[in-house]
Amino acid sequence: MRQWHSARKGSLPTVPIQTEVIHLTSRFVRSSQIPPVTVGSSVVNPAAYVRDLGVIFDGNLSMPRHINNICRGATFALRKIGTVRSFLNRATTEKLIQAFVISRLDTCNSLLYGLPTKDLSKLQRIQNSAARLITLTKKRDHITPVLRDQLHWLPIQQRITFKLLLLIYKSLHGSAPAYISDLLIPYTPPANSAPGMHDNLTRICCRTKTYEGRSFTVSAPFLWNATPTHTRDSPATSSFMKQLKTFLFKVAYEGLNFVT
């Protein structure tokens, strides 16, 4: 990197190397610790957790520290907003919640696809608390009607699925980086196949659902092929998002079957 920068813009400033190294592996595979990595004149030891673009990764990609970090920041914001809730109207409260709480839940949430329900339930409790604060719903009252009928919010699991499907749609329509689009392989159906199969993606087999199955290469075809054809055929991103939310609403609140 120093050679590349020197050849184009001069030498790099003499600042400490901000490099972290982590060994990613399945929790079902026993592997030895990798040795330290030399970067320039610095020796970097492998770490148990690293941060990249605000996301905290662990060696097994189970994301416990990242989820706890989201919950910590969102809970702090909820408490601060709660102290002034009596002075705010509903519209203003909802704007604050969207800016300081929901935005935390949605940032890079596609990385949480495939995690166990027990982990995602922590984020769902945060969303439920945010909904109660906006609508002044009591703790003993059921929260599902509030999310569905008053706020029209998708639950956490469906918000993750929504983000992934939107990324797939943009990738197939040239609105995503090439390194993402190249991961999607169009499916070539037999000549006598059903019309809806012509815009499917080729499914990739995997051995571990909680590790390989969470990768974009594997999960994208499963989600895309299970999405209704009329939604996938939307002519614009805005109409796709609208139809996709309607579909996922039915999955979340009406029990519509959907492979996730």
Side-chain angles (χ1 to χ4, degrees), residues 195-232:
M197 297 182 64
H198 289 274
D199 58 350
N200 281 3
L201 297 175
T202 301
R203 294 187 175 184
I204 308 298
C205 296
C206 66
R207 293 176 296 176
T208 56
K209 183 177 179 180
T210 57
Y211 192 70
E212 290 179 293
R214 291 174 52 204
S215 66
F216 185 75
T217 305
V218 175
S219 62
F222 276 93
L223 293 175
W224 183 255
N225 295 351
T227 304
T229 304
H230 69 275
T231 301
R232 293 185 291 177

Side-chain angles (χ1 to χ4, degrees), residues 51-71:
R51 182 188 293 267
D52 186 27
L53 298 177
V55 180
I56 303 176
F57 294 93
D58 60 280
N60 297 329
L61 295 180
S62 54
M63 316 296 281
R65 183 166 294 191
H66 178 64
I67 291 177
N68 291 337
N69 185 59
I70 293 175
C71 294

Side-chain angles (χ1 to χ4, degrees), residues 71-93:
C71 294
R72 188 181 305 111
T75 300
F76 178 80
L78 283 173
R79 289 176 178 172
K80 289 296 184 180
I81 297 173
T83 59
V84 296
R85 176 63 180 92
S86 59
F87 304 102
L88 304 174
N89 57 30
R90 173 168 167 167
T92 303
T93 304

Side-chain angles (χ1 to χ4, degrees), residues 124-151 153 253:
Q124 188 59 58
R125 286 195 290 269
I126 295 294
Q127 188 188 46
N128 294 347
S129 298
R132 293 184 190 279
L133 185 58
I134 292 174
T135 59
L136 298 177
T137 302
K138 298 180 180 179
K139 290 184 178 181
R140 64 176 177 269
D141 294 336
H142 197 46
I143 196 61
T144 299
V146 176
L147 295 174
R148 180 189 60 212
D149 302 328
Q150 296 190 45
L151 297 174
W153 284 358
Y253 299 118

